[in-house]
Amino acid sequence: MISPRQFADAGGPGTSFAIQEPENEEAFSARMEYAAGSGMSEAVKALSRPSRTTSLREIG
């Protein structure tokens, strides 16, 4: 994983997001396959949904 960063949702107090940049497409695919097989299907579904725009503030 390259430089994971955390953000707070400016419009949603108490809501935060972690943005993680994979090393390459193969690493991303491997993580998604692992997640799908490890009971993390909701996370995989969330990543498959259409994106939305929100204002974020970087934490730290």
Side-chain angles (χ1 to χ4, degrees):
M1 201 59 61
I2 300 172
S3 64
R5 297 162 59 190
Q6 293 187 350
F7 295 85
D9 184 340
T15 304
S16 64
F17 298 88
I19 297 176
Q20 302 173 343
E21 180 183 356
E23 298 87 343
N24 53 47
E25 189 173 336
E26 292 80 22
F28 177 76
S29 294
R31 284 189 181 87
M32 291 299 98
E33 286 178 25
Y34 174 80
S38 299
M40 298 176 63
S41 60
E42 285 302 314
V44 174
K45 286 180 193 174
L47 291 170
S48 301
R49 292 182 191 128
S51 60
R52 66 183 176 100
T53 302
T54 189
S55 296
L56 300 176
R57 173 179 54 83
E58 188 163 7
I59 299 172

